[in-house]
Amino acid sequence: MTHWQTYDAPPAMAGLYARAALRQRVSGQQLPDTGLRCVMVIDPVRLGAYRKVCGYDNTGLLPPTYPHVLAFVLQLALLTDPGFPFPLVGLVQLAERIRVLRPLGGVARASVSVYLGELQAHAEGAAFSLVTQLHDALGLLWEGETDLLCRKAQLQGQWAAPPAPAELPAGEVTRWLAGKDIGRQYAKVAGDYNPIHLSLPSARLFGFQQAIAPGMWSLARSLAALQHHIPDAGLQFNTQFLRPVPLPSEVVLNASAPGEDGHFSLTGRDASVYLAGEWAPL
């Protein structure tokens, strides 16, 4: 059972980053049963900057990936809580599932909640899910579930192999350059200052040959290019992050024909598949 802690105001981001920097080692093999809640107000200036960085048109609706930005401070608070056993730096995003239950229009404020799913063995460490929800006066409005991997942790048990990548569509929708500074641009609007996204020197400190694009930016940029291609609500997105997008690089978005369901993928010029996903009715 989740034990909820409610904030009257969002916690200070600076203190959370300080906690993240101090956590370097795995301290246990159990996830806390704490959930965090807070009523969050949507800043139209920040939202506009997010749309610009990710390529969304201003349709009057929140982008389907924006609730993650709204909830990021709570996600960070939960993942740096003293009861959370893994270091934040080094967590790998494996997959993202987003459910848009109703149109995200006219949302000026919402109750945001985050909690952790089940911890399970993985071939490369230990995996768990981070669940984020938005509620308005009518109930659940949006839900996201992020699968994360901690390579530093080891669990006993049978590893459940992930499903095969979604069907890869053949039709090119568009392509764009993921510039070397996109990690810094995204950090300014999303608050996600992960060093592996910011620059070549900071990425090399963590074993990367070059900086890599934030996974949620790559997904947001893909869905922005498809926003007039798919329904606004009553659907779910299921996405697997297969390999990081190196910065800088040109990427190609492929997708099925417009409709209620379909597939999409983001690939490199050398045919490397960075992410593969699908959309479908709820």
Side-chain angles (χ1 to χ4, degrees):
M1 182 176 67
T2 303
H3 295 84
W4 290 99
Q5 176 182 347
T6 301
Y7 286 97
D8 294 327
M13 192 77 80
L16 300 178
Y17 273 115
R19 289 199 323 210
L22 293 173
R23 179 78 60 80
Q24 301 292 330
R25 299 181 179 179
V26 173
S27 61
Q29 294 187 344
Q30 289 187 331
L31 298 180
D33 60 2
T34 304
L36 305 181
R37 288 173 172 160
C38 186
V39 173
M40 311 288 281
V41 177
I42 294 169
D43 178 356
V45 174
R46 186 185 186 193
L47 173 58
Y50 177 84
R51 285 191 174 114
K52 184 176 180 180
V53 168
C54 297
Y56 284 105
D57 294 335
N58 185 358
T59 63
L61 302 175
L62 289 185
T65 49
Y66 189 73
H68 270 293
V69 174
L70 195 62
F72 182 72
V73 64
L74 293 185
Q75 296 173 347
L76 190 59
L78 187 59
L79 296 178
T80 58
D81 184 271
F84 183 72
F86 306 141
L88 180 62
V89 176
L91 292 181
V92 178
Q93 188 173 13
L94 300 175
E96 180 70 32
R97 293 174 294 281
I98 292 174
R99 300 169 63 222
V100 184
L101 281 76
R102 290 177 280 119
L104 300 176
V107 183
R109 54 192 286 137
S111 176
V112 180
S113 60
V114 297
Y115 64 94
L116 297 170
E118 182 181 359
L119 182 65
Q120 53 187 316
H122 188 280
E124 297 183 40
F128 63 96
S129 60
L130 172 65
V131 181
T132 304
Q133 295 179 328
L134 259 67
H135 288 78
D136 63 6
L138 298 178
L140 183 62
L141 178 63
W142 178 100
E143 183 175 51
E145 187 172 359
T146 306
D147 290 342
L148 296 167
L149 168 69
C150 178
R151 288 196 171 105
K152 294 183 178 180
Q154 297 296 325
L155 289 181
Q156 299 295 322
Q158 182 67 36
W159 174 58
E167 176 185 337
L168 299 181
E172 179 178 332
V173 175
T174 187
R175 60 178 63 202
W176 61 82
L177 176 67
K180 64 180 181 180
D181 64 340
I182 196 61
R184 296 189 293 276
Q185 291 183 40
Y186 185 75
K188 290 178 182 178
V189 300
D192 184 3
Y193 285 90
N194 190 325
I196 65 176
H197 305 312
L198 301 181
S199 69
L200 174 60
S202 61
R204 282 183 171 172
L205 289 175
F206 293 90
F208 290 85
Q209 295 301 309
Q210 58 195 119
I212 61 174
M216 287 306 299
W217 175 81
S218 296
L219 176 57
R221 185 67 181 82
S222 299
L223 297 188
L226 296 172
Q227 63 183 325
H228 303 297
H229 202 88
I230 55 182
D232 292 326
L235 80 164
Q236 59 186 354
F237 301 99
N238 300 310
T239 306
Q240 296 179 56
F241 297 93
L242 302 175
R243 62 177 62 188
V245 176
L247 299 177
S249 62
E250 185 180 53
V251 294
V252 179
L253 177 68
N254 299 287
S256 307
E260 294 186 351
D261 53 55
H263 296 83
F264 63 96
S265 65
L266 193 65
T267 64
R269 296 181 67 180
D270 62 353
S272 297
V273 182
Y274 299 126
L275 63 81
E278 62 182 2
W279 71 89
L282 289 174

